[in-house]
Amino acid sequence: MWPQHVYTTAEELVEYFLTHQATDSDIQAVEVQLGRFPRGMVAVGARCVCGQPLTTVTRPLIDGKIPFPTTFYLTHPGATKAISHVEAAGRLAELTEQLTSDDVLAAGYMKAHESYLAVRHELAVRLGDSEEHIEGITAGGMPERVKCLHAVLAQTLAMGPGVNPVGDLILSEIREEFDPNVCRCSR
Ligand SMILES: [Zn+2]
Protein backbone atom coordinates (compact mmCIF):
# COMPACT_ATOMS: atom_id res chain seq x y z
CA MET A 1 0.00 0.00 0.00
CA TRP A 2 1.06 3.59 -0.62
CA PRO A 3 2.93 5.27 0.98
CA GLN A 4 5.65 2.63 1.04
CA HIS A 5 7.62 4.81 3.43
CA VAL A 6 6.91 7.93 5.48
CA TYR A 7 9.15 10.95 5.13
CA THR A 8 10.83 12.15 8.27
CA THR A 9 14.28 13.36 7.22
CA ALA A 10 16.19 13.55 3.94
CA GLU A 11 18.84 11.24 5.35
CA GLU A 12 16.32 8.57 6.24
CA LEU A 13 14.46 8.76 2.92
CA VAL A 14 17.67 8.56 0.88
CA GLU A 15 18.81 5.65 3.00
CA TYR A 16 15.52 3.94 2.10
CA PHE A 17 16.02 4.60 -1.62
CA LEU A 18 19.62 3.38 -1.54
CA THR A 19 18.70 0.20 0.30
CA HIS A 20 15.78 -0.36 -2.14
CA GLN A 21 17.55 0.38 -5.40
CA ALA A 22 15.86 -0.22 -8.74
CA THR A 23 16.13 -3.79 -10.00
CA ASP A 24 16.58 -4.72 -13.65
CA SER A 25 12.86 -5.48 -13.86
CA ASP A 26 12.01 -2.05 -12.36
CA ILE A 27 14.19 -0.37 -14.96
CA GLN A 28 12.57 -2.44 -17.72
CA ALA A 29 9.10 -1.54 -16.44
CA VAL A 30 9.96 2.17 -16.45
CA GLU A 31 11.47 1.87 -19.92
CA VAL A 32 8.15 0.47 -21.14
CA GLN A 33 6.21 3.25 -19.35
CA LEU A 34 8.36 6.06 -20.76
CA GLY A 35 9.34 4.56 -24.09
CA ARG A 36 13.00 5.32 -23.33
CA PHE A 37 15.71 4.04 -21.03
CA PRO A 38 15.61 5.85 -17.65
CA ARG A 39 19.21 7.02 -17.36
CA GLY A 40 20.52 7.67 -13.87
CA MET A 41 17.59 5.92 -12.20
CA VAL A 42 18.46 5.06 -8.62
CA ALA A 43 15.22 3.72 -7.23
CA VAL A 44 11.48 3.50 -7.66
CA GLY A 45 10.06 6.44 -5.70
CA ALA A 46 6.64 4.89 -5.20
CA ARG A 47 4.68 1.92 -6.46
CA CYS A 48 1.14 1.08 -7.41
CA VAL A 49 -0.44 -1.42 -5.04
CA CYS A 50 0.39 -4.03 -7.74
CA GLY A 51 4.11 -3.15 -7.63
CA GLN A 52 4.34 -1.20 -10.89
CA PRO A 53 6.56 1.90 -10.59
CA LEU A 54 4.76 5.24 -10.26
CA THR A 55 7.80 7.52 -10.11
CA THR A 56 11.53 7.28 -10.53
CA VAL A 57 14.26 8.62 -8.27
CA THR A 58 17.10 9.89 -10.46
CA ARG A 59 20.61 10.84 -9.38
CA PRO A 60 21.58 14.55 -9.49
CA LEU A 61 24.31 14.05 -12.11
CA ILE A 62 23.63 11.48 -14.84
CA ASP A 63 26.61 9.60 -16.27
CA GLY A 64 28.90 11.96 -14.38
CA LYS A 65 28.09 14.86 -16.71
CA ILE A 66 24.38 15.67 -17.12
CA PRO A 67 22.92 17.80 -14.28
CA PHE A 68 19.41 16.54 -13.50
CA PRO A 69 17.24 18.61 -11.15
CA THR A 70 14.07 16.51 -11.59
CA THR A 71 14.85 13.94 -8.93
CA PHE A 72 11.28 12.61 -8.89
CA TYR A 73 9.70 11.88 -12.25
CA LEU A 74 6.18 10.60 -12.80
CA THR A 75 6.30 7.52 -15.03
CA HIS A 76 3.01 5.67 -14.56
CA PRO A 77 0.77 6.16 -17.63
CA GLY A 78 -2.45 6.25 -15.61
CA ALA A 79 -1.05 8.92 -13.30
CA THR A 80 0.42 11.05 -16.09
CA LYS A 81 -2.88 10.89 -17.98
CA ALA A 82 -4.91 11.90 -14.93
CA ILE A 83 -2.57 14.84 -14.31
CA SER A 84 -2.78 15.91 -17.94
CA HIS A 85 -6.55 16.08 -17.55
CA VAL A 86 -6.43 18.41 -14.54
CA GLU A 87 -3.75 20.54 -16.21
CA ALA A 88 -5.94 20.83 -19.32
CA ALA A 89 -8.79 21.90 -17.04
CA GLY A 90 -6.77 24.95 -15.96
CA ARG A 91 -5.44 23.88 -12.55
CA LEU A 92 -1.90 25.22 -13.19
CA ALA A 93 -3.09 28.81 -13.43
CA GLU A 94 -5.62 28.40 -10.62
CA LEU A 95 -3.09 26.93 -8.19
CA THR A 96 -0.42 29.51 -9.09
CA GLU A 97 -3.03 32.20 -8.37
CA GLN A 98 -3.99 30.49 -5.13
CA LEU A 99 -0.34 30.60 -3.98
CA THR A 100 -0.44 34.41 -4.13
CA SER A 101 -3.48 34.65 -1.86
CA ASP A 102 -3.19 31.62 0.44
CA ASP A 103 -0.28 32.09 2.83
CA VAL A 104 -0.61 28.63 4.38
CA LEU A 105 -0.51 26.95 0.98
CA ALA A 106 2.41 29.13 -0.13
CA ALA A 107 4.38 28.33 3.03
CA GLY A 108 3.74 24.62 2.62
CA TYR A 109 4.78 24.77 -1.01
CA MET A 110 8.00 26.56 -0.04
CA LYS A 111 8.66 23.88 2.55
CA ALA A 112 8.08 21.20 -0.12
CA HIS A 113 10.69 22.93 -2.29
CA GLU A 114 13.14 22.92 0.60
CA SER A 115 12.62 19.25 1.44
CA TYR A 116 13.00 18.39 -2.24
CA LEU A 117 16.36 20.18 -2.21
CA ALA A 118 17.35 18.43 1.02
CA VAL A 119 16.64 14.98 -0.43
CA ARG A 120 18.51 15.76 -3.64
CA HIS A 121 21.45 17.11 -1.66
CA GLU A 122 21.57 13.95 0.42
CA LEU A 123 21.47 11.85 -2.77
CA ALA A 124 24.32 13.96 -4.17
CA VAL A 125 26.38 13.44 -1.02
CA ARG A 126 25.73 9.70 -0.86
CA LEU A 127 26.36 9.13 -4.60
CA GLY A 128 29.24 11.59 -4.91
CA ASP A 129 27.39 13.71 -7.51
CA SER A 130 28.00 17.42 -8.06
CA GLU A 131 24.99 19.76 -7.79
CA GLU A 132 26.96 22.63 -9.27
CA HIS A 133 24.52 23.41 -12.11
CA ILE A 134 21.25 22.68 -10.31
CA GLU A 135 21.73 24.32 -6.94
CA GLY A 136 18.45 25.74 -5.63
CA ILE A 137 16.49 24.37 -8.59
CA THR A 138 13.71 21.85 -8.04
CA ALA A 139 10.80 21.05 -10.31
CA GLY A 140 7.22 21.82 -11.18
CA GLY A 141 7.67 25.60 -10.82
CA MET A 142 8.44 25.43 -7.10
CA PRO A 143 8.58 27.41 -4.93
CA GLU A 144 6.45 30.22 -6.37
CA ARG A 145 4.52 28.82 -9.30
CA VAL A 146 2.75 25.65 -10.34
CA LYS A 147 4.06 24.88 -13.81
CA CYS A 148 3.97 21.08 -13.92
CA LEU A 149 1.70 18.98 -11.78
CA HIS A 150 3.37 15.80 -13.03
CA ALA A 151 6.52 16.85 -11.15
CA VAL A 152 4.56 17.96 -8.09
CA LEU A 153 2.64 14.70 -7.88
CA ALA A 154 5.87 12.75 -8.38
CA GLN A 155 7.25 14.39 -5.24
CA THR A 156 4.09 13.63 -3.29
CA LEU A 157 4.13 9.99 -4.36
CA ALA A 158 7.84 9.56 -3.59
CA MET A 159 7.95 11.47 -0.31
CA GLY A 160 4.48 10.64 0.96
CA PRO A 161 1.50 12.69 2.13
CA GLY A 162 2.01 15.86 4.16
CA VAL A 163 5.14 16.97 2.27
CA ASN A 164 3.75 18.94 -0.69
CA PRO A 165 0.31 20.48 -0.09
CA VAL A 166 -0.28 21.10 -3.80
CA GLY A 167 0.53 17.46 -4.55
CA ASP A 168 -1.73 16.27 -1.73
CA LEU A 169 -4.55 18.42 -3.10
CA ILE A 170 -4.14 17.27 -6.68
CA LEU A 171 -3.92 13.60 -5.66
CA SER A 172 -7.27 13.97 -3.89
CA GLU A 173 -8.72 15.59 -7.04
CA ILE A 174 -7.64 12.79 -9.38
CA ARG A 175 -8.44 9.81 -7.16
CA GLU A 176 -11.42 8.73 -9.28
CA GLU A 177 -9.02 8.32 -12.18
CA PHE A 178 -5.74 7.49 -10.43
CA ASP A 179 -5.11 6.18 -6.94
CA PRO A 180 -1.86 4.51 -5.86
CA ASN A 181 -3.88 2.04 -3.82
CA VAL A 182 -6.32 1.11 -6.60
CA CYS A 183 -4.61 -0.79 -9.39
CA ARG A 184 -5.91 0.16 -12.81
CA CYS A 185 -2.70 -0.89 -14.56
CA SER A 186 -4.27 -3.47 -16.86
CA ARG A 187 -6.84 -1.06 -18.31
ZN1 LIG B 1 -1.10 -1.44 -10.65
Side-chain angles (χ1 to χ4, degrees):
M1 294 291 278
W2 181 83
Q4 278 89 35
H5 44 76
V6 176
Y7 174 73
T8 50
T9 65
E11 290 77 8
E12 208 167 60
L13 185 60
V14 168
E15 178 66 23
Y16 179 87
F17 291 144
L18 295 181
T19 52
H20 296 76
Q21 293 201 26
T23 63
D24 288 347
S25 80
D26 289 332
I27 291 169
Q28 276 167 20
V30 170
E31 187 169 8
V32 169
Q33 290 176 331
L34 296 177
R36 59 174 172 77
F37 183 79
R39 286 201 293 172
M41 178 175 168
V42 173
V44 171
R47 293 178 191 275
C48 176
V49 69
C50 75
Q52 274 286 312
L54 300 176
T55 76
T56 49
V57 179
T58 301
R59 62 188 307 162
L61 192 66
I62 298 174
D63 297 340
K65 59 187 175 200
I66 304 163
F68 199 80
T70 315
T71 306
F72 306 119
Y73 194 89
L74 194 65
T75 63
H76 188 271
T80 58
K81 195 171 160 193
I83 290 293
S84 295
H85 290 157
V86 291
E87 285 190 354
R91 291 300 275 144
L92 294 174
E94 287 169 9
L95 287 161
T96 296
E97 175 60 30
Q98 202 178 333
L99 285 172
T100 65
S101 58
D102 183 339
D103 291 347
V104 175
L105 186 72
Y109 199 54
M110 175 61 81
K111 211 168 158 229
H113 170 70
E114 288 164 356
S115 45
Y116 196 115
L117 287 175
V119 169
R120 195 182 64 225
H121 180 68
E122 182 65 15
L123 272 171
V125 169
R126 295 286 301 272
L127 298 172
D129 283 2
S130 166
E131 289 182 284
E132 194 184 350
H133 299 287
I134 52 175
E135 221 167 295
I137 301 169
T138 58
M142 288 189 281
E144 284 170 357
R145 297 176 59 195
V146 182
K147 288 168 74 176
C148 175
L149 284 168
H150 298 83
V152 170
L153 183 69
Q155 181 187 17
T156 288
L157 291 172
M159 294 184 68
V163 172
N164 189 320
V166 174
D168 290 345
L169 184 63
I170 223 67
L171 180 57
S172 72
E173 290 176 14
I174 63 173
R175 270 205 142 120
E176 290 295 306
E177 192 177 350
F178 167 78
D179 184 330
N181 289 327
V182 179
C183 177
R184 300 178 175 102
C185 290
S186 54
R187 283 193 203 168

